[in-house]
């Protein structure tokens, strides 16, 4: 059931990222809903759901935004793998660790996408990451702070407690 929820949510986030999100900019910063929601869900549900999120959401966004097919999927699968690694190593502090994880991985995925897109479409543009990527990553961290701990806590609450069944 969680894989079906993951697939539907990833497709919905990709659709939102391609349609509504460009209008949600604040002072030139735009959120990366697919990345933030994927990182939150990966920290909460685990690596399998994260990789499914990255692959399906990335392919959907590639088709909707008319990008080279597989470029966003590659970046998101790498990002969700890193989110699973960082989320599993944070232990019981996952609820609060999701915010810095989302910030760091938003920066990393934006930089990786610029390199991948530049490799597939032409030369890598010379950008100033502080002025171009950092505002979006800060926006993503605010979104993760607002939603992330609640999602991780709700997911943990629904899971059965580990222990010996007698």
């Amino acid at each position: 059931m969680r894989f079906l929820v993951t697939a539907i949510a990833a497709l919905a986030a990709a659709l939102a990222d391609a349609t509504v999100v460009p209008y949600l900019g604040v002072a030139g910063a735009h959120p990366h809903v697919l990345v933030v929601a994927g990182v939150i869900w990966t920290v909460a549900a685990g690596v399998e759901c994260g990789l499914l999120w990255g692959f399906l959401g990335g392919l959907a966004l590639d088709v909707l935004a008319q990008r080279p097919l597989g470029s966003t999927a590659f970046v998101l699968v790498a990002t969700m793998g890193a989110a699973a690694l960082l989320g599993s190593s944070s232990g019981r502090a996952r609820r609060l660790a999701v915010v810095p994880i989302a910030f760091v991985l938003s920066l990393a995925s934006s930089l990786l996408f610029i390199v991948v897109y530049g490799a597939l479409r032409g030369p890598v543009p010379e950008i100033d990451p502080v002025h171009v990527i950092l505002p979006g990553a800060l926006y993503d961290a605010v979104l993760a702070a607002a939603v992330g701990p609640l999602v991780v806590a709700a997911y943990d609450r629904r899971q059965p407690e580990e222990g010996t069944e007698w």
Side-chain angles (χ1 to χ4, degrees):
M1 182 69 181
R2 69 184 175 136
F3 295 124
L4 180 63
V5 170
T6 301
I8 291 171
L11 294 175
L15 184 63
D17 222 353
T19 57
V20 177
V21 168
Y23 299 105
L24 299 177
V26 174
H30 296 281
H32 305 99
V33 173
L34 192 60
V35 174
V36 173
V39 167
I40 292 169
W41 188 246
T42 302
V43 170
V47 67
E48 298 93 359
C49 290
L51 295 178
L52 179 65
W53 181 287
F55 184 71
L56 287 179
L59 283 180
L61 190 58
D62 285 339
V63 170
L64 291 170
Q66 298 180 356
R67 297 175 178 171
L69 191 62
S71 61
T72 308
F74 171 74
V75 171
L76 286 178
V77 166
T79 302
M80 297 312 139
L85 182 66
L86 293 172
S88 66
S89 67
S90 61
R92 299 204 32 100
R94 290 183 322 142
R95 294 178 185 163
L96 298 177
V98 73
V99 178
I101 290 171
F103 175 72
V104 168
L105 291 180
S106 175
L107 285 172
S109 69
S110 295
L111 289 172
L112 182 59
F113 182 74
I114 288 171
V115 171
V116 168
Y117 191 77
L120 294 174
R121 289 287 173 137
V124 177
E126 295 180 23
I127 63 166
D128 182 17
V130 173
H131 294 347
V132 176
I133 297 173
L134 187 61
L138 290 172
Y139 198 150
D140 294 343
V142 169
L143 289 177
V147 178
L150 297 174
V151 171
V152 174
Y155 187 84
D156 288 347
R157 188 171 175 91
R158 292 193 45 97
Q159 297 306 312
E161 288 193 30
E162 296 179 10
T164 307
E165 301 253 345
W166 295 89

